[in-house]
């Protein structure tokens, strides 16, 4: 009987060792949880945003602090969440409008580093040899100005560029009427935008190039029609200004004379 009792005691000792190890592990686990519970709000937000890049639900996880539209920089200068780029929204809004109204044949959109470039075929705004803005053209500009309204603080400059084309592939246009028509068309579009009081007038520029900045040849009617256009070049605040040729190149606009 004494031998059996001793055997029972040895078995109990082994069981207690295992139990003690488990309790030690649980204690370490709870210490770890406690240390995590004292993490600062900023560090916790960094962790949350790394797991949830969209950052849309961080305000539901970080309790006790009111969330701003964008967060303040944490120590080291890195921002937790960048403010949405309103300038890019201009391109997306205009693209959606062009697509929904099936205007791809009349309006071309492109963008590059710090700029948005829009090409309007001359029939969008004007009848032949006229600088009187058509009603359909006003409707297009109204939508354009709505997009500008949301982007105004991000715009450094808006240039309206007027272009004509040779009536004949072999004979250049009469210089005076050619230049005036291009300039009057650009100015008409600019004045319509200016009268909306969206941008400071000092940011608005109108230039008439006449037939001298073609993006196609003069050989066929279709190619000459492509040269008749009004372009709007919008540059972003603090962007590096470039030459028109550089914008053409970045926007993939062909200029046979370059």
């Amino acid at each position: 009987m004494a031998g059996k009792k001793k055997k029972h005691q040895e078995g109990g000792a082994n069981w207690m060792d295992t139990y003690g190890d488990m309790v030690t592990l649980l204690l370490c686990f709870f210490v770890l949880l406690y240390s995590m519970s004292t993490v600062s709000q900023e560090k916790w937000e960094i962790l949350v945003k790394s797991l949830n890049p969209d950052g849309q639900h961080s305000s539901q996880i970080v309790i006790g602090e009111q969330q701003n539209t964008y967060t303040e920089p944490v120590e080291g200068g890195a921002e937790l969440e960048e403010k949405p780029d309103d300038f890019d929204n201009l391109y997306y809004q205009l693209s959606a409008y062009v697509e929904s109204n099936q205007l791809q044949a009349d309006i071309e959109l492109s963008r590059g580093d710090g700029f948005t470039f829009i090409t309007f075929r001359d029939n969008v705004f004007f009848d032949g040899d006229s600088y009187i803005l058509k009603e359909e053209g006003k409707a297009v500009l109204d939508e354009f100005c709505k997009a500008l309204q949301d982007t105004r603080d991000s715009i450094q400059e808006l240039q309206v560029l007027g272009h004509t084309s040779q009536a004949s592939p072999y004979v250049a246009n009469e210089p005076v009427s050619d230049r005036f028509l291009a300039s009057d068309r650009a100015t008409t579009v600019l004045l319509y935008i200016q009268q909306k009081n969206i941008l400071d007038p000092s940011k608005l520029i109108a230039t008439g190039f006449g037939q001298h900045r073609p993006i196609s040849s003069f050989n066929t009617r279709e190619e000459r029609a492509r040269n008749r256009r009004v372009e709007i070049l919008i540059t972003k605040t603090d962007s590096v200004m470039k030459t028109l040729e550089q914008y053409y190149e970045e926007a993939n606009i062909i200029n046979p004379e370059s």
Side-chain angles (χ1 to χ4, degrees):
M1 293 297 289
K4 290 183 179 180
K5 184 176 180 181
K6 183 177 181 180
K7 184 176 181 181
H8 177 73
Q9 290 175 348
E10 290 178 354
N14 292 335
W15 176 82
M16 288 297 292
D17 290 341
T18 303
Y19 178 78
D21 291 340
M22 182 183 69
V23 171
T24 301
L25 290 174
L26 286 175
L27 178 62
C28 292
F29 177 71
F30 285 117
V31 170
L32 177 62
L33 289 179
Y34 177 78
S35 65
M36 290 179 62
S37 69
T38 60
V39 70
S40 65
Q41 178 188 344
E42 292 81 2
K43 293 180 179 179
W44 179 249
E45 287 190 35
I46 292 174
L47 174 62
V48 171
K49 292 181 184 299
S50 68
L51 299 176
N52 177 24
D54 294 336
Q56 296 176 349
H57 305 294
S58 61
S59 61
Q60 299 176 6
I61 300 174
V62 182
I63 302 174
E65 295 288 342
Q66 183 177 359
Q67 298 299 307
N68 297 322
T69 304
Y70 60 95
T71 58
E72 294 292 333
V74 297
E75 184 177 356
E79 291 188 357
L80 300 174
E81 181 179 348
E82 294 183 358
K83 187 177 181 179
D85 193 337
D86 293 335
F87 189 82
D88 288 338
N89 290 338
L90 172 64
Y91 174 83
Y92 294 123
Q93 284 183 255
L94 293 175
S95 296
Y97 171 75
V98 169
E99 184 175 355
S100 64
N101 290 275
Q102 299 181 345
L103 295 172
Q104 293 90 335
D106 297 319
I107 303 175
E108 295 181 9
L109 288 162
S110 55
R111 62 177 179 145
D113 184 18
F115 74 92
T116 295
F117 204 101
I118 313 161
T119 300
F120 301 90
R121 301 299 170 215
D122 69 326
N123 60 305
V124 174
F125 294 142
F126 309 104
D127 292 323
D129 296 326
S130 170
Y131 60 89
I132 305 301
L133 194 59
K134 299 194 297 186
E135 292 302 317
E136 305 94 292
K138 293 179 182 179
V140 171
L141 284 176
D142 286 341
E143 292 298 323
F144 173 74
C145 289
K146 288 180 183 178
L148 282 182
Q149 184 72 44
D150 298 331
T151 320
R152 58 191 303 172
D153 294 334
S154 303
I155 294 176
Q156 175 173 265
E157 190 173 82
L158 186 151
Q159 299 183 49
V160 184
L161 315 174
H163 302 270
T164 61
S165 184
Q166 289 183 194
S168 166
Y170 310 108
V171 181
N173 295 339
E174 193 278 319
V176 175
S177 60
D178 180 63
R179 288 284 188 175
F180 269 114
L181 180 60
S183 297
D184 289 344
R185 286 181 167 182
T187 302
T188 297
V189 172
L190 180 142
L191 287 174
Y192 192 88
I193 297 171
Q194 181 174 334
Q195 289 167 356
K196 298 290 185 178
N197 296 318
I198 298 171
L199 294 174
D200 188 316
S202 64
K203 295 183 177 183
L204 303 176
I205 299 174
T207 306
F209 289 106
Q211 67 182 59
H212 302 292
R213 295 292 182 102
I215 57 174
S216 186
S217 72
F218 301 117
N219 295 329
T220 67
R221 174 177 293 182
E222 290 76 16
E223 289 173 326
R224 292 193 294 272
R226 188 163 181 256
N227 291 326
R228 300 184 186 99
R229 67 200 189 277
V230 171
E231 297 168 331
I232 296 182
L233 171 61
I234 310 165
T235 53
K236 184 179 179 180
T237 301
D238 298 329
S239 63
V240 177
M241 298 300 291
K242 308 169 188 176
T243 65
L244 185 58
E245 286 73 17
Q246 289 174 312
Y247 287 120
Y248 275 8
E249 183 178 356
E250 290 190 35
N252 198 29
I253 297 174
I254 300 173
N255 185 347
E257 293 187 351
S258 61

